[in-house]
Amino acid sequence: MGADDDAYAEPLDHAHSNALSWLASVGERPVGPRSSIEELVSAFAFPLQDEPLDPVSVVDELSRLAEPGLMAMPSGRFFGWVIGGTLPAALGADWMVSAWDQNAGMRYATPAVAAAEEAAGGWLVDLLGLPPASGVGFTTGATMANFVGIATGRKAVLDAVGWDLHEHGLTGAPRITVLVGEERHAAVDLALRYLGLGAPTVIPVDSEGRIRPDALSAALSHVNGPVIVCLQAGNLHSGAFDPMRQTIENAHRHGAWVHVDGAFGLWAAVSPRLRGELDGLETADSWATDAHKTLNVPYDCGIAIVARPGLLEASFGVHTSYLIQADQGLGDPFERVPEFSRRARGVPVWAALRSLGRSGTIALVEGLVDNARALAEGVAALPGVEVLNDVVFTQVSLSFGSDERTRAVTQQLIDDGRVWMSGSRWHDRDILRISVSNWSTDASDVAYSIDAVRQASSR
Ligand SMILES: *Cc1c(COP(=O)(O)O)cnc(C)c1O
């Protein structure tokens, strides 16, 4: 690089020390941002100057401007939505991925990151107890991982009725019926929309939000033509898992493709203690999950897994004259996802799993569940608090009586800034939802958070 050998040293030193200050602050600071969006917009709203600026001052200025508007999502006291934190090894790997700057689509051109991704994919499939030969693709998140699984299913069910999707497209194709539980995540609907499959047929669920096998069975027996069934591992509000073995068997009897959205809940499969909830999971055709949620890898990273890798590559592979491709063995990373993967998203997954090991991965998942149970028990003992779900995984839904009261407590918690939990609506009630997904949450965070709820609800 010659004269620019040292161009990176100082900006990266400053980025490093700014990052460490941020990380050191998340243990103590209020969880919510200190400045409003309006204040931040005006802080960033100055005209672009004419002259170049020294990169060190750009890095420091960005840190200074952003700091008051950051949400302490990496904090052990953050329980909003389903977010997850960042394991140290995964963050370190992510930094190196940025520095390496590999356009990571081809085994031939970027063998190091392709090999790390393949290794991570192999470990994942093994840990989750899925078919060993499965194809694994890394996406931006579970939305696109769902897209990948369902897209592969779309091609497979049309192939089965003799319709060549790549040749003829969807126009004039036999209609594909997509069956989903009433409480599937909206990401599934989005994936269906992107895929031109329209709105799904909705199947009733039980009180924990699990798809009802009898209702699914009835719907399947009324379907004519190609069908895809989307099951869910991990309901946003209850953490509950759709029943797998029998529903999958039944769907397969009707020739359906079965896809499982397990954005955060698929990880239950790594735990011998929790695996029973997902009995039969491995008999599905495709699965979607996130590494940026339960595995605590930095944003963005989703994972798509398809039992028969040939079908995955038949959906996403493309051969061109300017890409030099692997003709044998595993296909290239870009043949397994809709967008040419440039980010080497599997590399932080490799680092996360390598740092945890098998027992550490199991301990991570079980620790989240134990913390969720402890939180649920602690808040259930407070006056006027009702836990609305069976805490089988990481999600706890609370009511404080009336909708009005629940909303007031939610707002009070946000104002107090001691913890962050999100408001939501479930079964026609306003609720406060706790999602335990941060690796760093410990017993003292749990005790502190129960106290924060006690205080907010006693006003
Ligand atoms: C978060 C989530 C999604 C969407 O995942 P992204 O990573 O945000 O794209 C889909 N399904 C479920 C159950 C989720 O929790």
Side-chain angles (χ1 to χ4, degrees), residues 81-83 139-146 183-188 190 232-236 261-265 288-293 299-303 395 433:
W81 303 281
V82 189
I83 300 279
T139 63
T140 44
T143 305
M144 290 315 288
N146 281 318
E183 295 191 15
R184 82 283 178 197
H185 193 279
V188 170
L190 278 180
Q232 178 166 261
N235 177 293
L236 268 188
D261 174 13
F264 65 94
T289 192
D290 269 322
H292 59 219
K293 290 180 178 170
Y299 280 104
D300 284 340
C301 186
I303 302 163
Q395 309 300 103
R433 192 178 48 150

Side-chain angles (χ1 to χ4, degrees), residues 414-434:
I414 290 171
D415 294 345
D416 292 348
R418 297 177 64 191
V419 298
W420 184 282
M421 298 167 180
S422 336
S424 185
R425 230 180 131 71
W426 191 43
H427 296 174
D428 297 322
R429 292 174 88 169
D430 281 338
I431 61 162
L432 178 69
R433 192 178 48 150
I434 300 173

Side-chain angles (χ1 to χ4, degrees), residues 126 224 267 280 312 334 338:
D126 182 40
N224 263 318
W267 295 91
L312 178 59
F334 79 83

Side-chain angles (χ1 to χ4, degrees), residues 271-282:
S271 154
R273 209 178 85 194
L274 302 166
R275 173 91 200 177
E277 296 278 351
L278 287 169
D279 176 56
L281 175 74
E282 69 285 357

